[in-house]
Amino acid sequence: MPRGGWVKPASDRRLSDLVSVGLLTRVFPADVVDEVIAEAGRTQQRHRALPARVMAYFSIGMALHSEGSYEDVFAQLTDGLSWSSGWSQSWSPPSKSAIFQARSRLGYEPVRDLFFRVARPVAGVDTPGSWLAGRRLVAIDGTCLDLADTPGNAEFFGRPASSRGEKSAYPQARLVAVAECGTHAVFDAVTGPCATSETEMARELCGRLTPGMLVLADRGFYGFTLWRQAAATGADLLWRVKTNLRPQHVETLPDGSWLARIVPTSGVNRAKTAPSMVRVIDYTLDDGREHPEQYRLLTTILDPDQAGAHDLALAYAQRWEIENTFDELKTHQRGPRAVLRSKSPELVQQEIWGHLCCHYAIRTLMLDAATQGGHDPDRISFTAALRITRRSLSHSTFPPSQP
């Protein structure tokens, strides 16, 4: 979907201060929530007890309290809130059925659009582990999420095959995302059925890369067409490829890397396709094993004076930060071995985008706290930040709907 403008969250000195004054509205202001709801055509035509704005925040609150019931999550959201319009001083908590119906009316599009409206790279020029040769280090990768075992989810998202050839116990959704290596902030993502490959879903993401990025990807993503599409955006690439890929040697460079041409290895018009020039970095990771693993990297940075082979090899190790990001989202935020609660494809997608919004909010505020304290964002515990956020959510303040 087209990307909109971004909103810079307010900054404060301590992580506890940042979240205690209203995590959700600091990162996702109410006026922005109202805009995406209106653009998606979900603005309610009459007054409802559960307005669309409240349900947008609720979808993010579900990610903060993924193990709580609907009623528990709503209690966390509403405890201590100042309902400046649309609510009386005394009210009865909505039922599970009422919350479900309100979630269904909202759909997933406003939550998805809220993520795209706000999420962006957040590392500053001095953020450790975020830059190489003036380029922002980002990584692309994918993961799968277990879903509630319902006929609708199984039909829409599918089930992966198990190692014994049987179907998995749960349907799964695939998530492919782009995250900053230095901050773990996910700022672009695509979701879909598990049967859709990571490389197919990555085509959409690669088309949205921008100049000034250095994009890291594992060897499973490489393909001549996808490489060329990503490089055409003006972003620089540093992708691992299989060692049996044989680029055409052109010139060996002083730092041991070499220039080469790559060509498509399949496709009806491959003989007529012009080759692309790349730089190849070969190295072995000595980790004490009898047969150390060999690496082959391709990059669009052709000049070794801009980034030497040693620096590029070290930078590629930052690709593992997106693995840590998925662990934060799946193990700590969602809960280990937890299954997403939503029982229909529409609400599964709403829940996934709610999780992405939640993670982005926490990571953005962690960066603010680290910057104010002069620390590396990676030195702040995500688990501790999540715990503080859950504890502090009830101190938030936002009106439930437009005045």
Side-chain angles (χ1 to χ4, degrees), residues 106-164:
L106 180 69
Y108 73 88
E109 293 89 350
V111 188
R112 176 201 63 190
D113 297 352
L114 184 62
F115 174 82
F116 280 110
R117 181 68 61 87
V118 175
R120 64 177 181 91
V122 295
V125 294
D126 298 322
T127 304
S130 298
W131 305 91
L132 178 69
R135 296 161 174 86
R136 186 186 301 272
L137 291 176
V138 305
I140 184 171
D141 205 357
T143 190
C144 287
L145 302 168
D146 287 338
L147 311 177
D149 187 8
T150 66
N153 285 347
E155 180 179 0
F156 185 89
F157 292 102
R159 297 177 190 267
S162 69
S163 58
R164 293 174 293 183

Side-chain angles (χ1 to χ4, degrees), residues 215-338:
V215 185
L216 315 179
D218 199 7
R219 55 190 169 186
F221 281 90
Y222 176 77
F224 180 84
T225 301
L226 189 62
W227 173 275
R228 177 165 281 191
Q229 177 192 358
T233 64
D236 280 301
L237 311 180
L238 180 63
W239 292 11
R240 187 182 178 186
V241 296
K242 297 177 181 178
T243 53
N244 60 6
L245 180 72
R246 304 296 181 186
Q248 302 170 2
H249 180 273
V250 174
E251 177 186 356
T252 300
L253 301 172
D255 65 350
S257 61
W258 43 288
L259 298 180
R261 296 185 182 93
I262 55 172
V263 296
T265 57
S266 62
V268 293
N269 294 319
R270 63 181 184 275
K272 299 180 181 179
T273 303
S276 293
M277 185 70 73
V278 298
R279 181 167 157 223
V280 185
I281 300 100
D282 288 319
Y283 63 98
T284 300
L285 189 63
D286 186 2
D287 55 4
R289 290 185 292 182
E290 182 178 354
H291 301 289
E293 190 170 5
Q294 295 181 331
Y295 284 73
R296 170 163 287 175
L297 307 180
L298 301 187
T299 183
T300 55
I301 303 177
L302 305 182
D303 185 355
D305 290 336
Q306 291 189 24
H310 182 262
D311 292 334
L312 288 167
L314 289 176
Y316 181 74
Q318 294 292 315
R319 191 202 70 81
W320 286 100
E321 297 301 335
I322 194 169
E323 302 279 359
N324 294 333
T325 300
F326 287 146
D327 181 68
E328 292 168 358
L329 196 152
K330 294 175 62 176
T331 303
H332 302 292
Q333 181 175 297
R334 182 195 59 175
R337 298 180 299 278

Side-chain angles (χ1 to χ4, degrees), residues 361-400:
I362 294 172
R363 268 293 166 186
T364 301
L365 297 180
M366 287 172 67
L367 174 65
D368 268 355
T371 301
Q372 292 293 337
H375 302 301
D376 185 337
D378 288 342
R379 299 301 298 272
I380 297 179
S381 166
F382 180 83
T383 303
L386 179 62
R387 185 170 58 249
I388 293 170
T389 304
R390 286 170 173 164
R391 188 171 64 241
S392 304
L393 182 61
S394 61
H395 298 289
S396 305
T397 301
F398 63 84

Side-chain angles (χ1 to χ4, degrees), residues 6-11 26-27 29 118 120 122 360 364 367-368:
W6 54 267
V7 178
K8 178 174 175 57
S11 179
R26 291 177 68 82
V27 182
V118 175
R120 64 177 181 91
V122 295
Y360 178 81
T364 301
L367 174 65
D368 268 355

